[in-house]
Structure formats: structure tokens, C-alpha cells
Amino acid sequence: MSTSERYLARVQVSLKPTVNDPEGDTIAGALGNLGFEGVEKVRSGRYFQVVLAAKDRAAAGQAVEDMCARLLANPVIETYSYELEPLA
Amino acid sequence: MSTSERYLARVQVSLKPTVNDPEGDTIAGALGNLGFEGVEKVRSGRYFQVVLAAKDRAAAGQAVEDMCARLLANPVIETYSYELEPLA
């Protein structure tokens, strides 16, 4: 019997609200040009899927927190969120 | 009384499983170098937050589907998913 569990972490990284996002503004403009009339705002960001082994959900969550703080996100200008999904 | 509702769509765009992802591989290697031992795989992607007005949830979902198919994702190599959240 294995002592570790596998998880899929879905990590969303986005710019803090006060940070300029020219990419998002450009996409919002392009959506308007394509005929999407209801678009008010677009913010762009990055998305990561991380498959990791950990002894339990708490350990997996702590590892993903650390990954975000140390590599995946730039804490000066970005915020992050994630969900953990157990894998078989 | 307004006839339209506002929604926040959180859109995740990721590469199809068969598409090479050197960025994800590099991040996985960097996490290993930082001491994260349980990382098996990392896939990189993009994340968008779209604020839009629509007459109801069904219309908002259809608009976001169309945005993904026409601009936000490249259907040849990417897949997308999204969640809709009503805004006050």
C-alpha cells in the first residue's frame, strides 16, 4: 500500500487589480471588434496544472502554496488561487 | 430595473495533452531544483477573467463559449474550460 497520494492542482495566477494589463485591454478591444457587445473588462493571467504526490491533502496544499509563492507567481504584482483534486 | 445581468467568467486555457509544453517542463524542473520532490508534471496555460453583461446565465455561457472558440483559445492545440459567477 502506498503511503502517498496524488493530486492535480489547478493554479490560477492573475495580476493584482491595480496593475496595468495591456494584454487584457487588447483582448477586450478585440472581443468588441468581433461583435461581443457585453464585454466590460478582461484581465489576463496564467494557468498551471501541477500533478504532485504528497502524504495527504494538507501537505499537498502546503506544497502548492509554497510553489506559488516561490516560483509560479510574482508576489509583487500577482495573486494566485488554486484547487486540489485527488487523482486515482 | 435592468434587463441585463453581469457575470464574471473565469476561463482556463490549456494545451491539449498531446502537445509539447516546454514551458511546463522547465517549470517542473525548476520546482525540482527548488526542493519540491513530489512534482510529477506541470502543464502551462493561460487564464482570463472576463466581466460581461448578458440577459441571463445561458446567454452569458454561450457568449463565453464563442469567445473561447473565436479568440481566447486556439482550438487546434488548446482546450478551454470556464466557470460563471454572477456579479451584484
Side-chain angles (χ1 to χ4, degrees):
Chain A
M1 187 178 154
S2 168
T3 58
S4 84
E5 300 168 1
R6 293 171 73 239
Y7 292 89
L8 169 63
R10 302 175 198 274
V11 180
Q12 293 98 26
V13 177
S14 49
L15 291 166
K16 290 182 181 176
T18 52
V19 178
N20 277 339
D21 181 8
E23 181 184 349
D25 296 342
T26 300
I27 292 169
L31 288 172
N33 291 340
L34 283 173
F36 293 101
E37 290 177 358
V39 178
E40 290 180 19
K41 192 175 177 182
V42 177
R43 297 288 285 176
S44 68
R46 290 174 296 132
Y47 175 58
F48 303 102
Q49 293 166 302
V50 181
V51 177
L52 72 161
K55 71 177 164 53
D56 55 25
R57 177 179 280 269
Q62 187 59 55
V64 174
E65 278 279 351
D66 290 349
M67 290 176 201
C68 290
R70 293 182 61 192
L71 187 74
L72 300 181
N74 175 351
V76 178
I77 58 168
E78 293 175 327
T79 59
Y80 57 85
S81 62
Y82 62 87
E83 302 101 48
L84 279 179
E85 178 187 311
L87 296 176
Chain B
M1 188 178 155
S2 168
T3 56
S4 86
E5 300 168 2
R6 293 171 72 240
Y7 291 89
L8 169 62
R10 301 175 199 273
V11 180
Q12 292 99 26
V13 177
S14 48
L15 291 166
K16 289 182 182 176
T18 52
V19 178
N20 277 339
D21 180 8
E23 181 184 350
D25 294 343
T26 300
I27 292 170
L31 289 171
N33 291 341
L34 283 172
F36 294 102
E37 291 177 358
V39 177
E40 289 180 19
K41 190 176 178 184
V42 177
R43 297 288 287 177
S44 69
R46 290 173 296 132
Y47 175 58
F48 303 102
Q49 293 165 301
V50 181
V51 177
L52 73 160
K55 72 175 164 54
D56 56 25
R57 177 178 280 268
Q62 187 59 55
V64 174
E65 278 280 352
D66 290 348
M67 289 176 202
C68 290
R70 295 182 60 192
L71 186 74
L72 300 182
N74 175 350
V76 177
I77 58 169
E78 293 175 327
T79 59
Y80 56 85
S81 63
Y82 61 88
E83 302 100 47
L84 278 179
E85 176 187 314
L87 297 175

